[in-house]
């Protein structure tokens, strides 16, 4: 069911937990993420990367993900990630997305405020929550390339002003996080995060959480992060499983369904582990 609304994120921040948000690309990864949330008994957000629409028709992918998530018994959200285009946001709202992100982080502050305000207005009109970003997060969503955070960390005072002026429901911050795997294991500036959280009342979002140590992620959640985006880590788990499957599946009469099932199951397992970590649930028999 599509029930991850703004209240769910506010509750998560208050309760010291975070909702995992994962990029989905096709039917297998969509089913995988629903199963992961069902198995963990905890909410999750399925994310449509605006970049995916270069490869798959927006309507086809969005309808698929909305339909599969709505039919699941788990509490889920379908979220448009890193969108820079108001027309694309409206298209996804019309197709039933339960939240959207407007990314004006590449723009000068005033232009980011203006673009984000327009997206918030469209989102709230459709009854959904809107995520904005202040401080650019380097790297690419869909490919892990070497990227370094350079200078554009989120300024706490500016963040408070940004949230107040835009009415945004959640704020993506740049505190040392990068998209893809970070070369240094993902050092986060937790003091900066605490400072931002002290001034910004809305739930904070951490992008690029792949490869960051579990204890650091727990500390970030403790300081106000209520949504954590993970993508590269799931892709890596999927590739690892596929490496072991392709040869036997080829010998097994080019058994494509076997490959697709492995894609689904490997993503489900990796996502469930992250959902449990972020929710403070036991993982693999261990208390967190
Ligand atoms: Zn991101």
């Amino acid at each position: 069911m599509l029930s991850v609304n703004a209240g769910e994120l506010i509750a998560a921040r208050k309760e010291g937990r975070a909702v995992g948000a994962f990029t989905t690309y096709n039917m297998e990864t969509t089913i995988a993420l629903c199963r992961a949330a069902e198995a963990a008994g905890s909410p999750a957000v399925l994310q449509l990367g605006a970049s995916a629409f270069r490869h798959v028709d927006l309507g086809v992918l969005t309808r698929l993900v909305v339909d599969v998530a709505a039919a699941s018994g788990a509490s889920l959200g379908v979220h448009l990630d890193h969108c820079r285009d108001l027309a694309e946001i409206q298209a996804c709202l019309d197709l039933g997305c339960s939240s959207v992100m407007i990314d004006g982080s590449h723009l000068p502050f005033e232009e980011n405020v203006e673009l984000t305000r327009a997206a918030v207005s469209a989102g709230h009109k459709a009854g959904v929550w809107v995520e904005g970003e202040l401080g650019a997060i380097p790297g690419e969503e869909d490919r892990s390339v070497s990227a370094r955070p350079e200078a554009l960390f989120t300024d706490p005072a500016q963040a408070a002003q940004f949230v107040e002026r835009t009415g945004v429901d959640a704020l993506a911050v740049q505190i040392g996080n990068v998209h893809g795997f970070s070369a240094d294991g993902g050092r986060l500036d937790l003091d900066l995060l605490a400072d931002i959280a002290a001034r910004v009342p809305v739930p904070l979002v951490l992008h690029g959480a792949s490869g960051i140590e579990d204890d650091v992620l727990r500390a970030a959640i403790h300081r106000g992060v209520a949504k954590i985006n993970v993508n590269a880590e799931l892709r890596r788990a999927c590739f690892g499983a596929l490496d072991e499957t392709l040869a036997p599946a080829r010998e097994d009469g080019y058994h494509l369904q076997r490959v697709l099932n492995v894609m689904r199951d490997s993503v489900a397992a990796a996502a469930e582990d992250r959902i449990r970590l972020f929710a403070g649930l036991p993982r693999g028999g261990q208390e967190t």
Side-chain angles (χ1 to χ4, degrees):
M1 65 195 100
L2 294 184
S3 52
V4 176
N5 53 23
E8 170 62 36
L9 291 188
I10 292 167
R13 176 169 174 173
K14 210 167 144 190
E15 292 162 16
R17 59 184 172 84
V19 177
F22 310 98
T23 306
T24 189
Y25 295 92
N26 64 5
M27 189 171 75
E28 280 67 34
T29 58
T30 298
I31 292 171
L33 297 173
C34 294
R35 287 191 183 176
E38 288 159 9
S42 197
V45 173
L46 284 74
Q47 305 207 132
L48 299 162
S51 61
F53 301 143
R54 290 200 294 267
H55 306 281
V56 189
D57 177 76
L58 179 147
V60 170
L61 184 60
T62 307
R63 275 189 207 96
L64 166 80
V65 177
V66 167
D67 280 358
V68 174
S72 166
S75 176
L76 299 165
V78 177
H79 180 80
L80 175 64
D81 193 30
H82 282 292
C83 185
R84 294 181 171 186
D85 178 35
L86 292 172
E88 195 165 77
I89 282 185
Q90 192 57 52
C92 285
L93 291 173
D94 292 343
L95 288 164
C97 281
S98 55
S99 54
V100 294
M101 176 190 188
I102 181 75
D103 179 359
S105 62
H106 56 295
L107 299 171
F109 182 75
E110 288 299 329
E111 288 174 42
N112 189 358
V113 168
E114 194 181 330
L115 179 68
T116 304
R117 276 173 66 102
V120 168
S121 165
H124 287 182
K125 211 164 147 191
V128 311
W129 57 274
V130 178
E131 176 181 339
E133 176 173 329
L134 187 66
I137 301 161
E140 290 186 35
E141 280 287 340
D142 297 314
R143 294 164 59 235
S144 295
V145 292
S146 62
R148 296 183 55 76
E150 277 156 10
L152 290 168
F153 281 28
T154 305
D155 176 78
Q158 210 178 36
Q161 202 191 114
F162 183 78
V163 169
E164 169 144 16
R165 287 180 60 192
T166 58
V168 84
D169 304 286
L171 181 70
V173 294
Q174 163 57 298
I175 53 168
N177 41 313
V178 301
H179 288 126
F181 287 105
S182 33
D184 58 5
R187 279 198 302 270
L188 299 183
D189 188 338
L190 294 171
D191 292 338
L192 174 60
L193 175 62
D195 201 0
I196 296 168
R199 295 170 192 235
V200 172
V202 300
L204 302 176
V205 183
L206 184 69
H207 285 233
S210 296
I212 297 175
E213 287 172 13
D214 291 353
D215 283 345
V216 177
L217 291 173
R218 285 192 195 95
I221 294 167
H222 185 66
R223 287 165 177 76
V225 167
K227 172 174 177 272
I228 301 183
N229 291 11
V230 180
N231 182 357
E233 213 156 283
L234 270 52
R235 298 198 315 269
R236 182 168 65 180
C238 183
F239 271 67
L242 289 177
D243 280 345
E244 294 179 7
T245 305
L246 283 175
R250 185 180 290 117
E251 281 174 25
D252 192 12
Y254 298 99
H255 200 330
L256 181 61
Q257 190 62 52
R258 184 168 162 185
V259 174
L260 296 174
N261 291 351
V262 165
M263 171 180 274
R264 182 196 62 206
D265 295 345
S266 57
V267 170
E272 185 186 343
D273 180 70
R274 295 295 90 184
I275 292 170
R276 287 179 173 277
L277 172 72
F278 303 157
L281 294 170
R283 298 151 62 213
Q286 287 181 332
E287 290 291 330
T288 57

